[in-house]
């Protein structure tokens, strides 16, 4: 980021706006939403500004402008409409050490005015660092549609009741309360204009402790997707934001963890092919132990937890302990790898079967025999198959139509360092070595029907 977004405390602070025309009026309208003391420096004011000055909502200063005019200010807006004059006034403001915004001259701006969605006290600021104001307005329009008009009033009510909630409820119960307030009946009531009903519901929940939420621990197995953090599902993000403790391993993009609550505990379990910092049994026991202590537990897994994610062992342990369990699916590696290359796993009349296979078993033995499944019209996606490359190549050696099998490898799919390359059934091992692929790859083996029909069937017919 070239700019850092933050919210200034404005109550009682001085804001100077230089200019008396429409540009200055626009900045004044924006600042009038705050509790700042607004001074407009200009000898003459356009009608709207003049009326505001007459009402005492802004103060007009018509005298000479010096560096002292900008001293002790929270913000200064320079908007005379004359680029040369604005640049000169900018220099005066900087002598005073002011934070300055010069209209339509981003190179002179210390601060850039964002597009704002106002649901006071809920405020959403949208910025593009001055590069795409049209995009910022489009995002603002969408946010305006998403956030109901009364949301700010609900937030204000919650703010007034925070003290009472803190006095009567523990940390976990407070999180449950506010989650319910903003996702359940109180928000629904506010949305239909029943503010008194919403207030009564919240106050009753604080008084009685009946928050309409689960009070015990739980475990959620969440699929994080194959790489980029924007491939996790909305439900996955919600579970991360509710979690008290998150167990994750090396395949998780660190940026995914930024979607979690800041105070959630993060536990790195460090699973690596052939070298597990945490054995699976220890991970499983830790999930159960944390949930038994009343914590909301998230086991964050790359891709989809139900596909080669060792999820079955964890699910069985959680169920045996009688704890609530949820599985949140994710985008699996094969889907992500195909999509990032602009391809698909199936195609009509050519590839109508997809097989997900693993390159090795839990005990380190050679993978199951998936070779009989590689028939015409099939795509086999081999997960964790890099170390098994020589075995795959050897297994394909005796296949009569091996030259028709299309082999492609995608490593670190959907990440900035993604690699993808094609090879043949006889050069797979060399290709993996040449591209220095050691793990984190999917090997695709495709036998399209058209290629098979064109090359094999005619030969058989000729015989």
């Amino acid at each position: 980021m070239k700019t850092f977004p933050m919210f200034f405390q404005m109550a009682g602070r001085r804001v100077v706006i230089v200019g008396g025309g429409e540009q200055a009026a626009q900045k004044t309208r924006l600042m009038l939403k705050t509790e700042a003391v607004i001074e407009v420096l200009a000898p003459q004011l356009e009608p709207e500004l003049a009326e505001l000055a007459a009402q005492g909502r802004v103060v007009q200063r018509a005298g000479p402008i010096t560096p002292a005019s900008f001293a002790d200010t929270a913000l200064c807006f320079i908007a005379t409409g004359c680029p040369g004059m604005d640049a000169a006034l900018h220099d005066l403001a900087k002598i005073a050490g002011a934070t300055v915004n010069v209209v339509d001259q981003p190179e002179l701006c210390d601060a850039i005015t964002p597009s704002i969605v106002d649901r006071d006290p809920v405020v959403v600021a949208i910025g593009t660092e001055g590069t795409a104001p049209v995009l910022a307005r489009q995002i603002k329009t969408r946010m305006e549609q998403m956030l109901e008009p009364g949301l700010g009033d609900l937030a204000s009510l919650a703010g007034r009741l925070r003290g009472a909630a803190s006095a009567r409820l523990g940390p976990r119960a407070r999180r449950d309360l506010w989650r319910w307030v903003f996702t359940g009946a109180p928000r629904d009531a506010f949305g239909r204009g029943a503010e008194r009903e919403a207030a009564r519901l919240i106050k009753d929940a604080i008084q009685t402790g009946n928050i309409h939420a689960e009070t015990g621990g739980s475990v959620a197995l969440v699929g994080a997707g194959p790489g980029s953090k924007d491939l996790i599902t909305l439900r996955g993000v919600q579970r991360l934001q509710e979690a008290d403790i998150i167990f994750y391993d090396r395949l998780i993009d660190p940026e995914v963890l930024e979607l979690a609550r800041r105070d959630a505990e993060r536990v790195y379990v460090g699973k690596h092919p052939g070298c597990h910092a945490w054995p699976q049994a220890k991970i499983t026991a830790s999930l159960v132990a944390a949930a038994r202590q009343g914590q909301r537990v998230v086991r964050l897994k790359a891709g989809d937890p139900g596909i080669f994610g060792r999820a079955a062992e964890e699910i069985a342990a959680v169920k045996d302990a009688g704890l609530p369990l949820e599985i949140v699916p994710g985008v699996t590696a094969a889907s992500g790898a195909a999509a990032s290359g602009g391809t698909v796993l199936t195609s009509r009349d050519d590839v109508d079967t997809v097989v997900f296979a693993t390159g090795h078993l839990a005990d380190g033995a050679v993978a199951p025999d998936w070779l009989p499944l590689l028939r015409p019209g099939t795509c086999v996606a081999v997960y964790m198959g890099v170390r098994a490359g020589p075995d795959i190549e050897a297994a394909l050696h005796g296949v009569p139509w091996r030259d028709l099998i299309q082999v492609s490898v995608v490593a670190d799919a959907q990440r900035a360092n993604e690699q993808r390359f094609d090879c043949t059934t006889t050069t797979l091992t060399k290709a993996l070595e040449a591209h220095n692929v050691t793990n984190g790859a999917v090997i695709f083996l495709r036998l399209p029907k058209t290629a098979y029909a064109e090359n094999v069937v005619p030969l058989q017919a000729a015989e």
Side-chain angles (χ1 to χ4, degrees):
M1 294 187 296
K2 294 181 180 179
T3 59
F4 181 75
M6 65 187 304
F7 292 91
F8 285 12
Q9 293 286 355
M10 300 302 293
R13 300 185 68 186
R14 186 166 165 255
V15 172
V16 166
I17 300 173
V18 184
E22 175 57 28
Q23 289 184 341
Q26 292 173 2
K27 299 302 182 183
T28 302
R29 293 183 207 120
L30 183 62
M31 286 297 103
L32 284 171
K33 295 178 179 292
T34 74
E35 298 178 13
V37 176
I38 302 171
E39 295 183 11
V40 180
L41 311 186
Q44 295 182 336
L45 303 179
E46 59 94 54
E48 180 184 356
L49 289 175
E51 180 62 24
L52 291 171
Q55 296 172 0
R57 299 181 65 188
V58 303
V59 176
Q60 180 186 11
R61 306 289 187 194
I65 298 176
T66 67
S69 303
F70 302 99
D72 193 26
T73 54
L75 282 171
C76 296
F77 294 95
I78 299 177
T80 67
C82 172
M85 178 66 73
D86 285 350
L89 291 167
H90 165 268
D91 292 343
L92 292 179
K94 295 311 296 178
I95 292 173
T99 299
V100 184
N101 175 279
V102 181
V103 174
D104 292 336
Q105 297 195 58
E107 69 280 3
L108 298 180
C109 291
D110 302 312
I112 298 174
T113 306
S115 293
I116 292 176
V117 179
D118 185 8
R119 299 290 188 272
D120 187 28
V122 178
V123 178
V124 181
I126 303 155
T128 62
E129 297 183 345
T131 61
V134 172
L135 175 61
R137 288 194 293 272
Q138 290 177 349
I139 297 172
K140 169 183 165 65
T141 299
R142 293 189 182 183
M143 295 299 297
E144 292 281 7
Q145 295 168 348
M146 289 174 57
L147 304 180
E148 60 269 31
L151 185 59
D153 293 331
L154 178 59
S156 295
L157 174 62
R160 294 193 296 271
L161 295 176
R162 287 182 68 86
S166 297
R168 295 191 63 87
L169 304 173
R172 165 66 181 271
R174 290 199 299 272
R175 288 198 299 271
D176 289 340
L177 169 70
W178 300 125
R179 178 191 178 201
W180 170 68
V181 165
F182 292 112
T183 61
R187 185 167 182 175
D188 291 341
F190 249 90
R192 65 175 187 271
E195 291 87 351
R196 290 185 180 180
E197 178 186 344
R200 178 184 57 78
L201 289 170
I202 300 171
K203 291 176 181 178
D204 288 349
I206 293 173
Q207 186 68 28
T208 64
N210 181 14
I211 304 168
H212 310 281
E214 295 289 340
T215 57
S218 62
V219 177
L221 274 60
V222 176
S228 178
K229 71 176 182 179
D230 58 2
L231 289 178
I232 191 172
T233 65
L234 293 175
R235 185 182 299 180
V237 173
Q238 185 177 18
R239 295 299 173 265
L240 283 176
Q241 293 176 347
E242 296 167 352
D244 299 306
I245 183 169
I246 301 165
F247 293 86
Y248 69 100
D249 55 45
R250 67 177 186 90
L251 294 176
I252 298 300
D253 184 343
E255 290 191 358
V256 174
L257 294 171
E258 295 180 5
L259 302 172
R261 281 195 4 252
R262 291 184 181 180
D263 58 343
E265 183 181 356
R266 295 161 170 79
V267 180
Y268 175 65
V269 298
K271 293 185 67 176
H272 189 283
C275 179
H276 292 178
W278 279 42
Q280 182 61 49
K282 181 179 179 181
I283 297 172
T284 302
S286 298
L287 300 179
V288 172
R292 279 177 169 162
Q293 293 171 2
Q295 297 191 79
R296 285 199 180 96
V297 180
V298 163
R299 174 67 168 105
L300 192 61
K301 292 175 173 287
D304 183 287
I307 299 179
F308 306 124
R310 300 288 294 273
E313 300 163 52
E314 296 168 356
I315 292 169
V318 173
K319 287 184 176 179
D320 289 345
L323 295 164
L325 171 72
E326 180 182 14
I327 302 173
V328 181
V331 177
T332 192
S335 296
S340 65
T343 62
V344 293
L345 295 175
T346 65
S347 58
R348 186 177 182 182
D349 300 328
D350 209 15
V351 176
D352 53 24
T353 302
V354 177
V355 176
F356 293 157
T358 179
H360 63 85
L361 297 175
D363 59 5
V366 176
D369 184 12
W370 44 260
L371 189 59
L373 301 175
L374 186 53
R375 298 187 296 267
T378 300
C379 170
V380 176
V382 183
Y383 289 59
M384 300 170 287
V386 175
R387 288 190 298 161
D391 296 320
I392 295 173
E393 189 172 315
L396 293 171
H397 181 73
V399 177
W401 53 83
R402 69 177 183 182
D403 292 341
L404 304 179
I405 297 173
Q406 301 171 357
V407 184
S408 59
V409 179
V410 183
D412 296 306
Q414 297 285 346
R415 296 174 182 264
N417 60 333
E418 176 184 296
Q419 292 187 75
R420 56 190 320 118
F421 54 88
D422 298 329
C423 58
T424 68
T425 57
T426 60
T427 60
L428 174 59
T429 302
K430 290 182 179 179
L432 291 170
E433 293 174 352
H435 289 83
N436 195 30
V437 177
T438 56
N439 54 62
V442 179
I443 300 173
F444 292 100
L445 308 169
R446 295 182 179 87
L447 183 54
K449 287 183 178 181
T450 52
Y452 181 83
E454 292 171 359
N455 291 275
V456 175
V457 174
L459 291 176
Q460 293 176 344
E463 294 175 358

